[in-house]
Each structure stands twice: as structure tokens, then as C-alpha cells.
Amino acid sequence: MTSSVKAIVFDTFGTVVDWRGSIIRDLTAWGAAEGLQIDWTGLVDRWRDHYNPQKARVRSGELPWTNLDELHFDALKAVFAEMGLAELDHDRMMHVNKVWHRLDGWPDTSRGLHRLKSKFIIGPLSNANVAILVNMAKHADLPWDNVFSCELFQHYKPDPETYLGVCKLLYLEPGAVMMCAAHNYDLAAARSLGLKTAFIARPTEYGEGQTTDLTAEQRWDYVADDLEDLARQLGC
């Protein structure tokens, strides 16, 4: 099977980067320096709670295409209101919003991607817009060959246009592209369209007590402990 796979695309938030831990660390340190008394952990969890509902509004057509930076900023303002916080000045609100551009990879991420890149075309297939993905790659040493942002397709996962869009851009049949994700729903959508699949568990993505995506829920083509283990399984 490995010989038929030419490209691997990766879910990014959770699979490649530790979004929750990164944001809490970044904003806690910054907030302390700014003298801000804010429950950053609570803010991050509330902020992420808006993620799927916002995407659903775009996917249903309730909202026109809106990229993730803009959705995040609208959600951030809503969370400040929910928590009874006065909004910060524009520059500081934008600094908070752009924390998604500064996310750290998991400990295995950069090494694993460099190994996989030696044999495959690699890139993120992410709901993040191009600016987030490019800046994040610079920050976290993510050696992408290309950035397959859903912004290019103006559809959010799991819309078929996203997975098939990658295949079209690379001039590859779906069976020559593998989706790697820590989320079973993402892999199920990719498999339904003919892509190969690789599952990596990230049991602390949502912090301690996570109850979802702890194990592979189907017989995916590959199940790995982390990206370095996936590279080993694929002969990299």
C-alpha cells in the first residue's frame, strides 16, 4: 500500500500542533506581562466551543465564506462578553486572536514531518486559512511542501470539496493521497472519497479528562503512536 501513496495531508489543530496547551502557555505569559487578570484556560475552552458551530454556519450557507481568522475574532469578542470582560484595545485583541498563528507542535511533530517529507509530498489539509498555516509553519518548523488550506476551496472539512481539492491540485487519484488525523470523523470523510487514512491519537488535545478520539474507531490503513512512529511504519 505504501508504494501507492504519493502525498500525505494532515489535520493540523490537534494532530500536528498542541493548540490548547500552546494558547494557554502563550496568553498566560503575555497576560501576566500586560497585567491582565484573565482566566486564560477558561477563555480558551470557551473560544474553542464556538469553533464547530461557526464552521457549521458557513457550511450551511447561513454565512458567506468567512476565513478562520475572522471567525476566531468574532468568537473571541463573544467570549469576552460571555465572561463579563471588557474588550481590550484593538492591537491587543488582535494579538490574542493571532495566537493561533503561534502554536507549538507536539514533541514528535517536526522530527516526524521531516522524516515523512523525505519520501512523500506533505502538507496540512486544515480549516485554518493560509496566513495561519504559513506563520505556524515558520514558528514550529513544519516543513510543508504546500499548504492545503480549506480557504483555497472555500469549504470547511468535512465537505468533500476539501479532500478532493487536494487530489485535484496535485493531479493525483484519491488512492494516492493519505489523510492523517487525530480525529476519526476526519478520516471517515476522507475514506468515503477514496483517500487512504492514518490515525494518531492525541489523548491530551483537550486537556486532562478528554473523552473523544482516544482510539481508532475504524480499521484505518495505519494507526500510529505519533508522527515518528508513522514515519517508521512507512519506511522513512
Side-chain angles (χ1 to χ4, degrees):
M1 180 193 304
T2 305
S3 61
S4 67
V5 174
K6 306 300 181 186
I8 306 175
V9 291
F10 299 80
D11 168 71
T12 305
F13 297 137
T15 305
V16 172
V17 295
D18 174 16
W19 60 267
R20 184 177 184 272
S22 298
I23 295 174
I24 292 169
R25 288 190 297 272
D26 183 302
L27 295 182
T28 297
W30 176 78
E34 293 286 311
L36 299 172
Q37 301 297 317
I38 292 175
D39 172 12
W40 294 110
T41 299
L43 183 144
V44 169
D45 289 337
R46 283 175 176 262
W47 201 1
R48 188 63 172 185
D49 285 344
H50 285 258
Y51 181 65
N52 286 325
Q54 283 185 309
K55 286 190 304 171
R57 293 179 69 199
V58 175
R59 294 180 62 232
S60 70
E62 180 185 344
L63 288 178
W65 172 256
T66 308
N67 76 27
L68 201 59
D69 263 330
E70 293 168 349
L71 292 179
H72 276 160
F73 195 55
D74 286 344
L76 178 63
K77 291 186 288 186
V79 168
F80 265 68
E82 290 169 11
M83 296 178 68
L85 300 171
E87 286 189 24
L88 308 176
D89 62 77
H90 179 75
D91 287 349
R92 290 199 292 177
M93 288 294 285
M94 290 304 298
H95 178 83
V96 173
N97 198 55
K98 287 187 175 181
V99 71
W100 295 91
H101 296 232
R102 306 187 296 270
L103 304 182
D104 300 325
W106 297 102
D108 58 279
T109 291
S110 185
R111 292 190 302 270
L113 290 179
H114 277 280
R115 289 174 61 179
L116 290 162
K117 182 184 173 76
S118 70
K119 187 172 181 178
F120 302 97
I121 298 166
I122 64 169
L125 175 54
S126 172
N127 290 319
N129 45 292
V130 171
I132 291 176
L133 293 171
V134 169
N135 291 328
M136 192 193 307
K138 285 289 190 183
H139 174 81
D141 188 27
L142 311 179
W144 305 127
D145 291 306
N146 197 7
V147 168
F148 301 104
S149 166
C150 289
E151 185 175 31
L152 301 176
F153 315 118
Q154 298 208 341
H155 282 269
Y156 284 119
K157 293 187 297 178
D159 286 357
E161 290 86 352
T162 59
Y163 309 97
L164 296 178
V166 170
C167 302
K168 182 178 180 180
L169 287 175
L170 291 178
Y171 281 79
L172 292 174
E173 293 299 318
V177 178
M178 184 154 65
M179 182 76 210
C180 176
H183 309 123
N184 286 278
Y185 88 90
D186 206 352
L187 298 182
R191 172 179 276 179
S192 73
L193 298 166
L195 281 73
K196 298 295 193 295
T197 54
F199 177 80
I200 294 174
R202 298 297 193 188
T204 60
E205 175 187 356
Y206 289 92
E208 299 299 326
Q210 180 171 319
T211 59
T212 60
D213 292 314
L214 298 177
T215 60
E217 295 173 3
Q218 297 186 38
R219 292 177 62 87
W220 306 120
D221 297 305
Y222 293 90
V223 176
D225 295 331
D226 57 28
L227 289 175
E228 290 193 278
D229 182 38
L230 180 63
R232 180 190 60 77
Q233 292 187 41
L234 293 173
C236 300

